[in-house]
Amino acid sequence: MNERTDDASAPEGASAPPAPAPGGLLGRVRAVLGAHRLATTVGAGALGLLLLGGGALAVGAAMRTPPAPVRVAAAAEPAPSAEPRPSPDTAAAAVALRTCSVAELAADPRLAELQAQVVNAGSGEVLFDRGGSTPSRTASVMKVLTSAAALAVLGPDYRATTTVVKGAEPGTAVLVGGGDVTLSRTPSGDEGVYPGAAHLDDLAAQVRAAWDADPANPPLTRLVLDASYFGGEEWQLSWNLKERDDGYMSNIAALMVDGDRDDPYSNTSFRSDDPVGRAGQAFADELGGIETIERGTAPAGAAQLGAVSSPTVAQLVDKALVVSDNTVAEMLARLVAIQTGAGNGFDAINAGVLEGLAGYGVDTAGLVIVDGSGLSDDNAVPPAYLTRLFQKIAAREGQLGVLLDALPIAGERGSLSYDDRFTGDNAVADGQVIAKTGWIDTGYTLAGVIHAADGATLTFAIYALGDVSDDAKQAIDTLATGFYRCGAQLSNR
């Protein structure tokens, strides 16, 4: 801080200095007074001593002459200093430059019309995006949405029940389908494609025991088949019929056995155009003595003769995801629609599944869900929805840990362990890519979770759509392996 040195004792308007003082004591007094301006600073006692030594008149005359002022140079004004540069209250956060590019892999022509997105599951940052917000067909990745909705609406322990009740006519029993597509005609203790499935021979034994326990009952000769729990068409109009002929999909009915397969021990097996009729005939064969089989409905309040239940929803989700069982996925979607009150036909699936997904807190705007399996080209889900849902799945929110545990794993489990997946250089990602596969004529898809080489957890979805062939699977695997190698350093360029 600069300090001012102005002399406040100098009289205002001071005149020029007087002529030199005469010699002697009085002159010396004048000199002292002029040079040192003691008129106002010298004490009265000291001045009195001077007057006694030199005479009062001389001093009086000297005091009437104003003393010469002492001129003090004005203090120099301080040089202006440069004002400090204003600084922002908060320094801008440093943005890490991500440098690991998969652009060349994403440009593989085998991917056709690529849509993809990758998210850092920990931070929520979108690392890679190619059309990620555009709703498109998903193929069997749709089963992830169906399974998530089933876990939310039905719960992992729900089971579908098939019952037999006494018919209105004498000698009649009614087989009532409860939506269990896994009910099996294989012998109890001998599992077909569905682990934990109920068996017709067990149900028939219950019915025979209950029927014979009442001596008033006439012989059991008539069987009515009630499949009214599901409504509407059995075949979704946008599906290609070759899916049934090639053994990948059945008609959807509330009463069937073994997913309506010709071979109950094979995942891929021809399906008929009458699953209800096949189930009825198999049950009649187990009961014995049946002369007539017909369609109908159970009378209200009829006495129950027997009941068996399906595997749990958790077991069904595992089957739907690990080997991509289409019929089980449709069973789950239809049960969700019924439970939510949306209806019991294909036209109720969209509303039912969306209601089931709503609780996960991921925006479902723009989603179109035509079926539970993903076979339809009319389904529309953006990759961005899947990456956000998979963040919840990776965190095992709610019941979603069941879904995570049911997914295929590269090189180890389910449809990602087949001989044509994650082979060669892509085998480096074995065990680290946990994802649902998808394939229809117009697209191949893969979506799930990657535990990357740098320790980051990524969620991703890849759609290869349009004019694609079987080698799109290898291109998808290579791109996913690129994501695995890059981890959190994955660049969008």
Side-chain angles (χ1 to χ4, degrees):
M1 177 175 178
N2 292 321
E3 188 173 334
R4 290 182 61 86
T5 57
D6 296 344
D7 192 339
S9 65
E12 292 185 7
S15 60
L25 177 60
L26 183 59
R28 288 196 297 274
V29 171
R30 285 179 175 175
V32 170
L33 292 174
H36 298 287
R37 303 173 66 197
L38 294 178
T40 60
T41 61
V42 177
L47 182 57
L49 291 173
L50 290 173
L51 289 174
L52 289 173
L57 290 174
V59 174
M63 293 299 292
R64 287 195 295 269
T65 303
V70 176
R71 298 191 182 275
V72 180
E77 292 291 334
S81 59
E83 293 187 4
R85 181 175 299 172
S87 57
D89 292 337
T90 304
V95 178
L97 181 64
R98 293 180 277 106
T99 58
C100 189
S101 175
V102 294
E104 185 175 344
L105 305 181
D108 190 324
R110 294 177 297 176
L111 296 172
E113 301 166 23
L114 173 67
Q115 289 180 236
Q117 189 179 89
V118 181
V119 167
N120 184 323
S123 68
E125 180 183 11
V126 176
L127 304 180
F128 182 87
D129 191 275
R130 297 291 186 274
S133 61
T134 302
S136 299
R137 54 200 178 275
T138 63
S140 285
V141 168
M142 177 59 73
K143 295 179 176 72
V144 172
L145 278 67
T146 304
S147 297
L151 289 166
V153 172
L154 304 171
D157 298 324
Y158 177 93
R159 297 174 186 266
T161 300
T162 305
T163 59
V164 178
V165 299
K166 197 169 185 179
E169 300 295 324
T172 302
V174 184
L175 176 62
V176 183
D180 179 12
V181 304
T182 71
L183 180 64
S184 184
R185 65 187 186 274
T186 62
S188 291
D190 185 10
E191 287 190 343
V193 296
Y194 297 124
H199 294 266
L200 285 179
D201 60 0
D202 178 18
L203 184 59
Q206 294 180 44
V207 171
R208 272 295 173 193
W211 191 269
D212 295 342
D214 185 354
N217 285 331
L220 181 56
T221 59
R222 184 167 174 262
L223 180 65
V224 174
L225 309 178
D226 183 350
S228 61
Y229 195 55
F230 290 175
E233 298 293 328
E234 291 183 355
W235 187 260
Q236 218 287 331
L237 296 178
S238 63
W239 293 346
N240 192 325
L241 278 172
K242 78 179 185 64
E243 300 291 347
R244 190 174 69 194
D245 297 340
D246 291 347
Y248 294 108
M249 175 60 93
S250 66
N251 283 17
I252 304 304
L255 176 61
M256 68 171 75
V257 289
D258 303 304
D260 195 43
R261 291 168 171 82
D262 271 5
D263 180 355
Y265 300 98
S266 175
N267 281 311
T268 304
S269 177
F270 177 83
R271 320 294 173 98
S272 77
D273 61 0
D274 184 15
V276 177
R278 192 203 295 260
Q281 185 60 61
F283 188 57
D285 292 344
E286 291 291 344
L287 281 173
I290 299 297
E291 300 171 358
T292 304
I293 302 174
E294 60 188 55
R295 302 290 184 96
T297 56
Q304 182 172 295
L305 301 172
V308 291
S309 295
S310 73
T312 65
V313 162
Q315 292 172 296
L316 295 171
V317 164
D318 186 89
K319 187 66 180 182
L321 296 181
V322 73
V323 296
S324 206
D325 192 288
N326 292 309
T327 303
V328 166
E330 295 303 332
M331 169 187 173
L332 291 173
R334 197 69 62 93
L335 292 174
V336 165
I338 292 168
Q339 188 70 24
T340 60
N344 67 351
F346 279 113
D347 58 354
I349 288 176
N350 186 69
V353 171
L354 289 181
E355 183 174 333
L357 294 174
Y360 294 115
V362 183
D363 187 6
T364 58
L367 270 62
V368 177
I369 301 174
V370 171
D371 60 24
S373 61
L375 280 186
S376 177
D377 281 348
D378 297 335
N379 289 306
V381 178
Y385 179 82
L386 286 159
T387 57
R388 297 305 179 187
L389 181 61
F390 268 109
Q391 282 185 271
K392 309 280 186 177
I393 294 169
R396 296 180 175 272
E397 290 190 15
Q399 304 291 344
L400 290 176
V402 172
L403 194 160
L404 182 65
D405 294 338
L407 289 167
I409 302 173
E412 295 182 4
R413 185 174 193 263
S415 57
L416 283 182
S417 67
Y418 299 163
D419 291 343
D420 60 349
R421 302 308 298 256
F422 285 90
T423 58
D425 291 343
N426 294 334
V428 69
D430 279 357
Q432 306 307 317
V433 178
I434 305 165
K436 181 70 193 80
T437 55
W439 164 51
I440 53 177
D441 288 344
T442 59
Y444 285 82
T445 57
L446 185 68
V449 178
I450 296 174
H451 297 301
D454 65 358
T457 298
L458 311 179
T459 61
F460 77 102
I462 303 171
Y463 298 0
L465 305 176
D467 186 11
V468 289
S469 57
D470 190 63
D471 59 3
K473 291 185 290 188
Q474 287 72 51
I476 287 173
D477 293 352
T478 301
L479 182 56
T481 302
F483 299 156
Y484 163 77
R485 294 180 191 275
C486 287
Q489 294 302 310
L490 177 63
S491 168
N492 197 37
R493 292 179 293 177

